[in-house]
mmCIF file of all heavy atoms in Angstrom:
data_model
loop_
_atom_site.group_PDB
_atom_site.id
_atom_site.type_symbol
_atom_site.label_atom_id
_atom_site.label_comp_id
_atom_site.label_asym_id
_atom_site.label_seq_id
_atom_site.Cartn_x
_atom_site.Cartn_y
_atom_site.Cartn_z
ATOM 1 N N LYS A 81 -103.124 -61.413 -75.378
ATOM 2 C CA LYS A 81 -102.469 -62.720 -75.357
ATOM 3 C C LYS A 81 -100.954 -62.640 -75.360
ATOM 4 O O LYS A 81 -100.282 -63.654 -75.364
ATOM 5 C CB LYS A 81 -102.944 -63.566 -76.540
ATOM 6 C CG LYS A 81 -104.420 -63.917 -76.456
ATOM 7 C CD LYS A 81 -104.778 -64.964 -77.472
ATOM 8 C CE LYS A 81 -106.222 -65.416 -77.291
ATOM 9 N NZ LYS A 81 -106.537 -66.531 -78.188
ATOM 10 N N GLY A 82 -100.412 -61.430 -75.401
ATOM 11 C CA GLY A 82 -98.962 -61.267 -75.372
ATOM 12 C C GLY A 82 -98.269 -61.633 -76.665
ATOM 13 O O GLY A 82 -97.053 -61.877 -76.664
ATOM 14 N N ALA A 83 -99.003 -61.678 -77.770
ATOM 15 C CA ALA A 83 -98.379 -61.979 -79.057
ATOM 16 C C ALA A 83 -97.379 -60.880 -79.415
ATOM 17 O O ALA A 83 -97.566 -59.715 -79.058
ATOM 18 C CB ALA A 83 -99.433 -62.101 -80.148
ATOM 19 N N VAL A 84 -96.319 -61.257 -80.107
ATOM 20 C CA VAL A 84 -95.359 -60.298 -80.626
ATOM 21 C C VAL A 84 -95.844 -59.898 -82.009
ATOM 22 O O VAL A 84 -96.000 -60.747 -82.888
ATOM 23 C CB VAL A 84 -93.939 -60.902 -80.706
ATOM 24 C CG1 VAL A 84 -92.977 -59.943 -81.381
ATOM 25 C CG2 VAL A 84 -93.455 -61.285 -79.317
ATOM 26 N N THR A 85 -96.123 -58.619 -82.181
ATOM 27 C CA THR A 85 -96.609 -58.124 -83.462
ATOM 28 C C THR A 85 -95.584 -57.172 -84.054
ATOM 29 O O THR A 85 -95.148 -56.227 -83.401
ATOM 30 C CB THR A 85 -97.965 -57.407 -83.306
ATOM 31 O OG1 THR A 85 -97.898 -56.505 -82.195
ATOM 32 C CG2 THR A 85 -99.081 -58.407 -83.061
ATOM 33 N N ILE A 86 -95.209 -57.458 -85.293
ATOM 34 C CA ILE A 86 -94.213 -56.667 -86.003
ATOM 35 C C ILE A 86 -94.895 -56.052 -87.219
ATOM 36 O O ILE A 86 -95.387 -56.768 -88.087
ATOM 37 C CB ILE A 86 -93.023 -57.547 -86.429
ATOM 38 C CG1 ILE A 86 -92.397 -58.207 -85.185
ATOM 39 C CG2 ILE A 86 -92.009 -56.727 -87.219
ATOM 40 C CD1 ILE A 86 -91.440 -59.329 -85.494
ATOM 41 N N ILE A 87 -94.938 -54.745 -87.249
ATOM 42 C CA ILE A 87 -95.555 -54.009 -88.350
ATOM 43 C C ILE A 87 -94.420 -53.443 -89.183
ATOM 44 O O ILE A 87 -93.621 -52.648 -88.700
ATOM 45 C CB ILE A 87 -96.456 -52.862 -87.835
ATOM 46 C CG1 ILE A 87 -97.434 -53.357 -86.756
ATOM 47 C CG2 ILE A 87 -97.168 -52.185 -88.994
ATOM 48 C CD1 ILE A 87 -98.367 -54.459 -87.186
ATOM 49 N N GLY A 88 -94.324 -53.869 -90.455
ATOM 50 C CA GLY A 88 -93.222 -53.449 -91.311
ATOM 51 C C GLY A 88 -93.708 -52.799 -92.587
ATOM 52 O O GLY A 88 -94.648 -53.279 -93.220
ATOM 53 N N GLY A 89 -93.070 -51.706 -92.960
ATOM 54 C CA GLY A 89 -93.390 -51.036 -94.216
ATOM 55 C C GLY A 89 -94.175 -49.759 -93.988
ATOM 56 O O GLY A 89 -94.998 -49.677 -93.076
ATOM 57 N N GLY A 90 -93.914 -48.788 -94.836
ATOM 58 C CA GLY A 90 -94.518 -47.468 -94.674
ATOM 59 C C GLY A 90 -96.033 -47.460 -94.681
ATOM 60 O O GLY A 90 -96.656 -46.796 -93.855
ATOM 61 N N ASP A 91 -96.645 -48.201 -95.612
ATOM 62 C CA ASP A 91 -98.109 -48.216 -95.666
ATOM 63 C C ASP A 91 -98.699 -48.909 -94.439
ATOM 64 O O ASP A 91 -99.715 -48.468 -93.898
ATOM 65 C CB ASP A 91 -98.608 -48.908 -96.943
ATOM 66 C CG ASP A 91 -98.402 -48.058 -98.193
ATOM 67 O OD1 ASP A 91 -98.228 -46.832 -98.049
ATOM 68 O OD2 ASP A 91 -98.425 -48.628 -99.298
ATOM 69 N N SER A 92 -98.077 -49.988 -94.010
ATOM 70 C CA SER A 92 -98.564 -50.691 -92.810
ATOM 71 C C SER A 92 -98.459 -49.801 -91.581
ATOM 72 O O SER A 92 -99.367 -49.760 -90.754
ATOM 73 C CB SER A 92 -97.772 -51.982 -92.581
ATOM 74 O OG SER A 92 -97.950 -52.873 -93.648
ATOM 75 N N VAL A 93 -97.341 -49.096 -91.471
ATOM 76 C CA VAL A 93 -97.140 -48.182 -90.341
ATOM 77 C C VAL A 93 -98.171 -47.056 -90.397
ATOM 78 O O VAL A 93 -98.793 -46.724 -89.382
ATOM 79 C CB VAL A 93 -95.702 -47.614 -90.327
ATOM 80 C CG1 VAL A 93 -95.553 -46.518 -89.284
ATOM 81 C CG2 VAL A 93 -94.696 -48.730 -90.081
ATOM 82 N N ALA A 94 -98.383 -46.487 -91.574
ATOM 83 C CA ALA A 94 -99.351 -45.396 -91.713
ATOM 84 C C ALA A 94 -100.747 -45.857 -91.314
ATOM 85 O O ALA A 94 -101.465 -45.147 -90.596
ATOM 86 C CB ALA A 94 -99.354 -44.868 -93.150
ATOM 87 N N ALA A 95 -101.132 -47.048 -91.753
ATOM 88 C CA ALA A 95 -102.457 -47.574 -91.404
ATOM 89 C C ALA A 95 -102.571 -47.810 -89.908
ATOM 90 O O ALA A 95 -103.599 -47.495 -89.293
ATOM 91 C CB ALA A 95 -102.726 -48.867 -92.168
ATOM 92 N N THR A 96 -101.522 -48.359 -89.307
ATOM 93 C CA THR A 96 -101.534 -48.637 -87.875
ATOM 94 C C THR A 96 -101.630 -47.341 -87.079
ATOM 95 O O THR A 96 -102.387 -47.256 -86.111
ATOM 96 C CB THR A 96 -100.283 -49.444 -87.477
ATOM 97 O OG1 THR A 96 -100.250 -50.643 -88.261
ATOM 98 C CG2 THR A 96 -100.294 -49.811 -86.014
ATOM 99 N N GLU A 97 -100.888 -46.330 -87.500
ATOM 100 C CA GLU A 97 -100.960 -45.043 -86.816
ATOM 101 C C GLU A 97 -102.332 -44.389 -87.017
ATOM 102 O O GLU A 97 -102.902 -43.840 -86.082
ATOM 103 C CB GLU A 97 -99.834 -44.127 -87.295
ATOM 104 C CG GLU A 97 -98.477 -44.587 -86.785
ATOM 105 C CD GLU A 97 -97.320 -43.754 -87.289
ATOM 106 O OE1 GLU A 97 -97.498 -42.933 -88.215
ATOM 107 O OE2 GLU A 97 -96.210 -43.940 -86.763
ATOM 108 N N GLN A 98 -102.855 -44.472 -88.225
ATOM 109 C CA GLN A 98 -104.172 -43.898 -88.520
ATOM 110 C C GLN A 98 -105.255 -44.556 -87.666
ATOM 111 O O GLN A 98 -106.213 -43.902 -87.253
ATOM 112 C CB GLN A 98 -104.482 -44.100 -90.011
ATOM 113 C CG GLN A 98 -105.795 -43.515 -90.460
ATOM 114 C CD GLN A 98 -105.998 -43.728 -91.959
ATOM 115 O OE1 GLN A 98 -105.084 -43.561 -92.755
ATOM 116 N NE2 GLN A 98 -107.208 -44.107 -92.338
ATOM 117 N N SER A 99 -105.089 -45.829 -87.370
ATOM 118 C CA SER A 99 -106.086 -46.558 -86.578
ATOM 119 C C SER A 99 -106.088 -46.145 -85.109
ATOM 120 O O SER A 99 -107.039 -46.427 -84.385
ATOM 121 C CB SER A 99 -105.821 -48.065 -86.656
ATOM 122 O OG SER A 99 -104.700 -48.417 -85.857
ATOM 123 N N GLY A 100 -104.982 -45.549 -84.658
ATOM 124 C CA GLY A 100 -104.848 -45.209 -83.249
ATOM 125 C C GLY A 100 -104.343 -46.362 -82.395
ATOM 126 O O GLY A 100 -104.292 -46.261 -81.181
ATOM 127 N N ARG A 101 -103.951 -47.466 -83.030
ATOM 128 C CA ARG A 101 -103.524 -48.656 -82.282
ATOM 129 C C ARG A 101 -102.011 -48.886 -82.333
ATOM 130 O O ARG A 101 -101.529 -49.924 -81.871
ATOM 131 C CB ARG A 101 -104.225 -49.901 -82.822
ATOM 132 C CG ARG A 101 -105.739 -49.906 -82.863
ATOM 133 C CD ARG A 101 -106.464 -49.993 -81.539
ATOM 134 N NE ARG A 101 -106.069 -50.991 -80.591
ATOM 135 C CZ ARG A 101 -106.677 -52.165 -80.397
ATOM 136 N NH1 ARG A 101 -107.708 -52.511 -81.134
ATOM 137 N NH2 ARG A 101 -106.265 -52.989 -79.449
ATOM 138 N N ALA A 102 -101.257 -47.949 -82.861
ATOM 139 C CA ALA A 102 -99.812 -48.134 -83.001
ATOM 140 C C ALA A 102 -99.153 -48.460 -81.660
ATOM 141 O O ALA A 102 -98.259 -49.310 -81.589
ATOM 142 C CB ALA A 102 -99.167 -46.900 -83.627
ATOM 143 N N GLY A 103 -99.595 -47.826 -80.608
ATOM 144 C CA GLY A 103 -99.012 -48.054 -79.288
ATOM 145 C C GLY A 103 -99.275 -49.436 -78.723
ATOM 146 O O GLY A 103 -98.640 -49.840 -77.753
#
Side-chain angles (χ1 to χ4, degrees):
K81 295 191 174 186
V84 174
T85 47
I86 302 166
I87 310 301
D91 287 341
S92 297
V93 172
T96 303
E97 289 177 348
Q98 182 178 317
S99 75
R101 304 289 311 261

